[in-house]
Amino acid sequence: MESPATSSPVAPGTRPAGGRCRRRTVDPEGTRPSDVVAAFFAAGLAMLGAAAAALVAFVVDGTWWLQWLALHLALLGGVSQLVLGAAQFFVCAFLATTPPSRRLLIAQLAVWNLGTALVAVGIPVADRLLVDCGGGLIGLGLLLFAVSLRAMQRRSLQRARWAVRWYQVSASCLAAGALVGMLLAGGVAWRYGSLLGAHMALNLVGWLGTAIVGTLHTFFPSLTGTRLRFERLQGSTLALWAFGVLAVTASAAFSLDALAVVGWVALAVAAALLATNVLASLRACAEPLSLPARMVALAQGFLVVGLGVAVAAAAIDGAGGPLEPSIRPVLAALLVAGWIGLTVTGSLLHLLAVLARVRHLTRSLPAPRPVLDGVTTALCGVAVVAWALVAIDGLASLAPAALALRVAATVLVGAHVLRAALRVGRSLVPKRVARRSSAPAVR
């Protein structure tokens, strides 16, 4: 029951060819859906660990590029690989087909991690060749990702129209964002607006944001054991979100104040449509919420609030308003830490639990612990709010308390993630022992 393909109305391994079905033998030792998650999550967690080390080094040393390195490794090396793995896992499930081949997965991991490493080295030493090669490898990784999605579509007999559309849009945003990033690294003269603002819009709101919003339409109902209440809103959400990304990017690149307001409003309306489905799932849920469900639900609240702040900043100060020194830290706390951070962490906790279960079928998903889960979620929420408040004029005195809250929340959530990762590791040993013990004795 591990492979999503087993839920298909046809035999696994069947693929359409010229309007007819051609049966293909499935290798029982081939790639499994859980292998996709395990490979990308292992690489992503390693990059997140390297990002944490770079951040500690920045706190100790204070060199500017260490802070950039921590952000680069965390978002491109860590979170992006979690998105790549989860996207292919979910598409495999949505389409009820077989996962990508082992060769394709290895190729994606190799080019993505090598490209991330080359950029990480090239920026501090100001080597344009390394940066260009790294950007080219990231582009190749996106192409392989698109090939993987297309191959799963062709193998499937189902037509889930939303299975890949969100991920195709998000990958296109990252490709454009990588090109803008290479221009920034090359020191190109741009007098029309802010390339940095366009780069951030494409990478954070376009790449990560589109993938998150698209995935949650199916993922959050599965977290709460419900169904998507307003399925028809998904098309409007995608259209508004994609238009918002394009409008915000163009307004930042060319200093178009009116377009900036329109773009941020479109994103806010799309977030409200997503929140409508999230709230509907929460109301329909009959069981106690798990910690991942609590964290993901809280994160969508920070999305709505953060986009509201961005709309106000753009209306007051124009296209550059959200990047003003007084507003940028607030948006970083609400959208990066509060929305992306909590959504990715909650999703990671759930998928690690799923991975442990499918690797060792006698285990079940961890039971909700309402008190501890509620305390953990509340601490994360208070830490994000305190982080945002510190950036407001006159509230800088709250900085020590906000830092303490962030450290406490990070330690507590890190303990949950470590526990889930260790559960995955332990689930591998009994399976191998069981395989050996299941061999018939020779008499």
Side-chain angles (χ1 to χ4, degrees):
M1 297 296 291
E2 176 189 348
S3 172
T6 57
S7 63
S8 175
V10 296
T14 303
R15 59 180 291 185
R20 295 177 297 175
C21 297
R22 183 175 62 192
R23 180 162 298 184
R24 193 174 76 179
T25 303
V26 176
D27 182 6
E29 298 298 327
T31 307
R32 298 171 295 178
S34 61
D35 294 333
V36 179
V37 178
F40 280 95
F41 276 29
L45 290 175
M47 283 289 186
L48 289 174
L55 184 59
V56 171
F58 169 73
V59 172
V60 174
D61 184 79
T63 305
W64 71 268
W65 62 265
L66 287 172
Q67 184 180 30
W68 170 86
L69 179 63
L71 190 62
H72 169 74
L73 293 177
L75 293 180
L76 187 62
V79 176
S80 291
Q81 289 198 89
L82 300 183
V83 170
L84 290 172
Q88 292 175 86
F89 177 80
F90 287 129
V91 168
C92 182
F94 297 160
L95 296 177
T97 186
T98 53
S101 67
R102 194 176 301 275
R103 284 184 180 180
L104 186 54
L105 291 178
I106 293 174
Q108 289 184 66
L109 288 166
V111 299
W112 197 273
N113 286 280
L114 181 57
T116 302
L118 289 178
V119 174
V121 174
I123 292 293
V125 301
D127 190 321
R128 181 64 185 273
L129 179 60
L130 288 179
V131 175
D132 290 345
C133 290
L137 287 174
I138 294 297
L140 178 58
L142 285 174
L143 179 60
L144 294 176
F145 174 62
V147 168
S148 174
L149 298 182
R150 179 59 180 166
M152 284 189 283
Q153 268 190 314
R154 295 185 63 185
R155 287 196 299 269
S156 175
L157 294 180
Q158 301 193 47
R159 288 296 175 262
R161 59 177 179 170
W162 300 112
V164 299
R165 198 169 294 175
W166 285 95
Y167 301 123
Q168 290 169 338
V169 173
S170 65
S172 300
C173 290
L174 182 57
L179 290 176
V180 176
M182 293 172 68
L183 293 177
L184 285 170
V188 64
W190 186 264
R191 299 170 296 176
Y192 310 103
S194 172
L195 281 183
L196 176 61
H199 178 67
M200 294 174 62
L202 287 169
N203 287 354
L204 294 179
V205 186
W207 161 238
L208 296 178
T210 305
I212 289 173
V213 173
T215 301
L216 286 180
H217 281 85
T218 301
F219 182 58
F220 193 77
S222 71
L223 278 179
T224 53
T226 60
R227 298 179 65 88
L228 188 64
R229 176 66 178 83
F230 304 106
E231 186 175 356
R232 292 183 178 180
L233 292 180
Q234 191 166 181
S236 301
T237 306
L238 175 58
L240 285 168
W241 191 270
F243 171 77
V245 171
L246 290 175
V248 169
T249 301
S251 67
F254 298 99
S255 297
L256 303 174
D257 295 343
L259 185 60
V261 176
V262 172
W264 286 111
V265 168
L267 291 172
V269 174
L273 295 180
L274 171 65
T276 300
N277 270 312
V278 169
L279 290 174
S281 292
L282 290 175
R283 292 187 60 183
C285 182
E287 301 294 332
L289 291 176
S290 63
L291 177 60
R294 290 171 183 265
M295 296 182 72
V296 172
L298 175 63
Q300 308 323 303
F302 285 125
L303 170 63
V304 174
V305 174
L307 291 176
V309 172
V311 169
I316 295 172
D317 296 322
L323 293 178
E324 289 291 328
S326 59
I327 298 297
R328 185 167 53 190
V330 177
L331 291 180
L334 293 174
L335 295 180
V336 179
W339 176 44
I340 295 177
L342 290 180
T343 301
V344 170
T345 303
S347 303
L348 177 62
L349 285 171
H350 179 75
L351 290 175
L352 286 175
V354 170
L355 185 59
R357 181 177 63 84
V358 299
R359 292 281 185 168
H360 191 204
L361 295 178
T362 60
R363 297 175 182 265
S364 59
L365 294 177
R369 295 171 292 181
V371 175
L372 180 58
D373 295 346
V375 169
T376 302
T377 307
L379 180 59
C380 291
V382 172
V384 172
V385 171
W387 189 352
L389 290 177
V390 167
I392 300 176
D393 292 338
L395 298 178
S397 59
L398 297 176
L403 178 60
L405 287 171
R406 288 204 308 250
V407 171
T410 301
V411 170
L412 186 55
V413 172
H416 282 286
V417 173
L418 180 60
R419 181 183 179 188
L422 290 176
R423 189 182 297 118
V424 173
R426 287 196 302 267
S427 69
L428 301 179
V429 177
K431 188 174 182 179
R432 291 170 181 164
V433 173
R435 281 180 177 178
R436 293 176 183 173
S437 61
S438 62
V442 179
R443 296 182 180 276

